Amino acid sequence: MADKSSSNAYWRANIRMIQLFLVIWFLVSFGFGILLRPMLSGIAVGGTDLGFWFAQQGSILVFLVLIFVYAWRMNRLDKEHGVEE
C-alpha cells in the first residue's frame, strides 16, 4: 500500500464495514430484543416467544456470526489492498 489514496480507500472500506455490522448488531440486540419485543411475542421459537429469544440468545448468536464474518471480510479486504499478513 504505497500511496495515500489506496490507504484512504482501505480505511473507508473498513469503517463502512464496521458501521454496517454495528447497525446489524444494534437492530438485532436493541431493536428485536427490546423495541420490537411486543410485536414478536406472538411467534413461538423453541418453547418461548421470538422477542425473548432475541433478547436472551439471538443477539449473542448474531454477534458471534458477525465476528466471524468480519474476520473473513477483513482478510478479503486485506488481500484486495495488498496488506495481508
Side-chain angles (χ1 to χ4, degrees), residues 8-84:
N8 287 341
Y10 173 78
W11 283 107
R12 265 195 312 273
N14 186 5
I15 296 298
R16 197 173 333 119
M17 186 172 24
I18 290 171
Q19 288 173 340
L20 172 67
F21 289 154
L22 284 175
V23 167
I24 291 170
W25 186 35
F26 176 80
L27 287 174
V28 169
S29 63
F30 190 72
F32 292 157
I34 297 172
L35 296 177
L36 299 177
R37 188 180 187 285
M39 291 184 350
L40 298 173
S41 66
I43 304 169
V45 171
T48 187
D49 65 273
L50 186 60
F52 180 77
W53 184 84
F54 268 114
Q56 296 303 311
Q57 294 197 1
S59 59
I60 295 168
L61 294 175
V62 169
F63 181 66
L64 290 173
V65 168
L66 287 176
I67 290 171
F68 288 107
V69 171
Y70 176 75
W72 173 70
R73 268 300 286 144
M74 278 307 296
N75 285 335
R76 280 188 44 200
L77 187 65
D78 288 348
K79 287 178 186 173
E80 289 173 10
H81 290 276
V83 293
E84 69 270 6

